[in-house]
Amino acid sequence: MASVTSLSDSVQQHLASALSATLPEAAGADPLLRRSDRADFQANGILALAKKAKANPRELAAQVVSEVVTGDVIKDVEVSGPGFLNITVADRAITGNLAARYADETGRLGVPTAAHPGTTVIDYAQPNVAKEMHVGHLRSAVIGDSVVQLLAFTGENVIRRHHIGDWGTQFGMLIQYLDEHPHELDHKAAEVTGEEAMSNLDRLYKAARKKFDSDEEFKTRSRRRVVDLQAGDPHTLAIWQKFVDESKIYFFSVFEKLDMEIRDPDIVGESGYNDMLAETCRLLEESGVAVRSEGALCVFFEDIKGPDGNPVPLIVQKSDGGYGYAATDLSAIRDRVFGLKASTLLYVVDARQALHFKMVFETARRAGWLNEDVKAHQLAFGTVLGKDGKPFKTREGETVRLVDLLDEAIDRASAVVREKAQELSEEEIAERGAQVGIGAVKYADLSTSANRDYKFDLDQMVSLNGDTSVYLQYAYARIRSILRKAGEVRPVAHPELDLTEAERALGLHVDAFAQTVAEAAAEYAPHKLAAYLYQLASHYTSFYDKCPVLKAETPAQVENRLFLCDVTARTLHQGMELLGIRTPEKL
């Protein structure tokens, strides 16, 4: 099935032909088309063209109108204001376009895939080994997962990377403690839950920390262990691996709760680049990109200064020979560019790390690892705030455990589902409660532009009113219920029928799905898709209130309205899937 040309693109093509027929030098000019309140579309591009051609904009607009071919796509064009064009699309074109999307056997609703896809390596969902995941880990996981879905849907070759924190000095303390208390991570049962794995790690971490702070000899042994770990001592590495394995049991349980697929081969932590660090430093030093300063290997930047006004260097290797995050991140860039053949590197990382990544990317550009053909971009995200507008913390001032937050969302959502559920069993209520609760958390995150902070307010998130995923899920379930009630009557498109205002508004919005997906993917902006879906549900609600479906006037109108319902449901379902949110058939 070929992709379907959007109505806006068809209108754009008609206008472009009329423009070049009127002004041959305007061939290829953008008519600047957008949706409008006054008509279906408005074109504002004539003002700029008139200025360039030193013509009267209203007169030029009138000439363009006389060249526009009306009929199949454009029903009517009129000049308004200083030279805008107001365009009304033919009802037949709206229904016909939706019918072509509906007939797409691939289930893609006629959304095209990229003609020249690249390879994007996306670095997201980066928890730390032996540490609990907290609310700060939520955004990287949720935003990253949605961008993965969007890019893959548009045909990009996507490689996922979870750069977990699995290396560094704190492991000396943990490994030493486990070596001296070898049974601390043993499992009582064959099946280990994520909670049990985390409480094992938590208990061990606290005990090790206590001993490290109170016992000087243990502290010395722990520091020696760091050296053994970095040198690749087999016994030390075997104990380290136990921490990684135990942590993965926990990570996978959290990601499963988030209804997110995280695959083991995609987890390449800091340790994965260990063998490359020395060579990365050598390449940077030999090319003159990095220089020795007081024993450390540094990269300096003219335009990056600290609070004191002095240039802030990126330290790639410390004076004691140890490597910092910069060496690992630069090695990861080499691996992703030369090993994975990436054309885009995308990092879904907290905005507070912007300076670090700016310096790392600039270093990689100077070294020639990033260039015109290979781009790196940080998709920086803001902070999760509590209802009081301050960073989200518990009453005791601790960071909130992610698992507690998700469990509470599921509890609240289950209560909402139970209240509304007519014929659902307890088992179904529990299943829907999880889908609604997790959907609510994801949607609240994704409907805010990533670089902005957002308030974590569970009451608001599971509300049936307003811009929430529950509102969208209920809209979908309502449509499925109408389609079930229709029984033998099938949804069929009838392009010959006139449409009401509510049907037209809904149809035009459904048709804009492909364009929205393309924009959201190109800009790494899931919030644009979320906004589109909320408007889609709102248009549907308005259509449902004004246009009887099963009691429409004629059999053809019943079929056509059922068709509008079904194509809306499919669009909602596909759109929500790209955000990583479930759409239950019944609620």
Side-chain angles (χ1 to χ4, degrees), residues 478 502 538-548:
R478 175 192 275 174
S538 306
H539 279 303
Y540 181 77
T541 304
S542 170
F543 156 80
Y544 180 79
D545 290 344
K546 292 172 184 161
C547 306

Side-chain angles (χ1 to χ4, degrees), residues 272-458:
Y273 306 101
N274 215 22
D275 298 344
M276 299 174 71
L277 302 178
E279 193 184 2
T280 296
C281 291
R282 183 178 64 74
L283 291 169
L284 291 172
E285 193 169 7
E286 283 177 5
S287 61
V289 172
V291 292
R292 291 277 166 196
S293 172
E294 295 172 25
L297 186 62
C298 305
V299 183
F300 288 92
F301 309 89
E302 283 303 307
D303 60 334
I304 301 175
K305 297 190 167 58
D308 55 3
N310 293 326
V312 178
L314 181 70
I315 299 172
V316 187
Q317 190 178 23
K318 300 174 207 161
S319 52
D320 65 2
Y323 301 102
Y325 289 124
T328 309
D329 285 333
L330 287 161
S331 299
I333 288 177
R334 285 176 52 217
D335 179 59
R336 292 164 186 185
V337 172
F338 302 110
L340 301 176
K341 304 283 184 264
S343 47
T344 306
L345 304 180
L346 190 58
Y347 293 79
V348 188
V349 183
D350 191 315
R352 286 171 294 197
Q353 304 212 25
L355 179 65
H356 170 76
F357 279 101
K358 186 180 174 187
M359 296 200 291
V360 165
F361 295 161
E362 178 54 33
T363 301
R365 268 193 291 276
R366 290 181 189 178
W369 306 334
L370 296 176
N371 51 39
E372 280 309 298
D373 302 325
V374 189
K375 304 249 184 310
H377 177 72
Q378 182 194 358
L379 179 48
F381 55 82
T383 311
V384 181
L385 307 172
K387 281 187 192 177
D388 56 2
K390 299 196 174 96
F392 203 47
K393 295 269 198 276
T394 62
R395 287 210 180 89
E396 294 73 47
E398 312 226 335
T399 12
V400 180
R401 294 173 65 208
L402 187 50
V403 177
D404 294 343
L405 210 66
L406 299 178
D407 286 342
E408 194 181 339
I410 292 168
D411 288 348
R412 298 272 186 101
S414 301
V416 171
V417 173
R418 175 172 278 110
E419 208 173 294
K420 298 276 287 187
Q422 273 107 31
E423 65 262 33
L424 295 181
S425 67
E426 274 304 308
E427 196 180 334
E428 285 173 320
I429 288 172
E431 184 201 2
R432 304 291 197 284
Q435 294 179 345
V436 171
I438 296 301
V441 170
K442 287 183 176 182
Y443 186 83
D445 194 320
L446 294 170
S447 56
T448 310
S449 163
N451 56 12
R452 290 179 41 205
D453 300 344
Y454 82 98
K455 279 188 188 162
F456 198 95
D457 179 350
L458 276 177

Side-chain angles (χ1 to χ4, degrees), residues 479-491:
I479 302 176
R480 299 302 304 165
S481 152
I482 293 169
L483 292 166
R484 282 193 297 274
K485 277 189 195 133
E488 294 300 302
V489 187
R490 311 297 332 136

Side-chain angles (χ1 to χ4, degrees), residues 169 172-173 176 180 208-226:
T169 48
M173 169 185 95
Q176 189 59 36
E180 294 174 15
R209 182 86 243 178
K210 197 172 165 190
K211 193 164 173 62
F212 186 85
D213 290 340
S214 61
D215 181 337
E216 280 303 317
E217 287 178 5
F218 177 73
K219 194 180 273 189
T220 307
R221 293 198 296 279
S222 297
R223 289 194 170 133
R224 242 181 262 141
R225 255 311 146 89
V226 179

Side-chain angles (χ1 to χ4, degrees), residues 554-571:
T554 65
Q557 201 174 37
V558 173
E559 289 180 342
N560 198 56
R561 285 184 178 168
L562 279 172
F563 154 73
L564 273 173
C565 288
D566 201 5
V567 76
T568 300
R570 290 183 188 189
T571 307

Side-chain angles (χ1 to χ4, degrees), residues 125-128 131-142 145 162 192-199 201 245-263 267 400-407 410 434 437-439 441-442 580:
Q126 311 105 342
N128 292 312
K131 282 195 185 155
E132 190 116 37
M133 286 175 75
H134 55 79
V135 69
H137 290 115
L138 179 67
R139 297 209 74 183
S140 177
V142 170
D145 187 58
H162 308 295
V192 194
T193 63
E195 275 290 308
E196 190 194 332
M198 193 58 236
S199 68
L201 290 163
D245 293 343
E246 193 78 5
S247 299
K248 280 184 180 177
I249 295 171
Y250 162 68
F251 295 159
F252 285 128
S253 75
V254 179
F255 289 124
E256 195 175 331
K257 190 165 279 196
L258 268 170
D259 196 13
M260 218 176 259
E261 185 198 27
I262 300 280
R263 301 180 300 220
I267 298 176
V400 180
R401 294 173 65 208
L402 187 50
V403 177
D404 294 343
L405 210 66
L406 299 178
D407 286 342
I410 292 168
I438 296 301
V441 170
K442 287 183 176 182

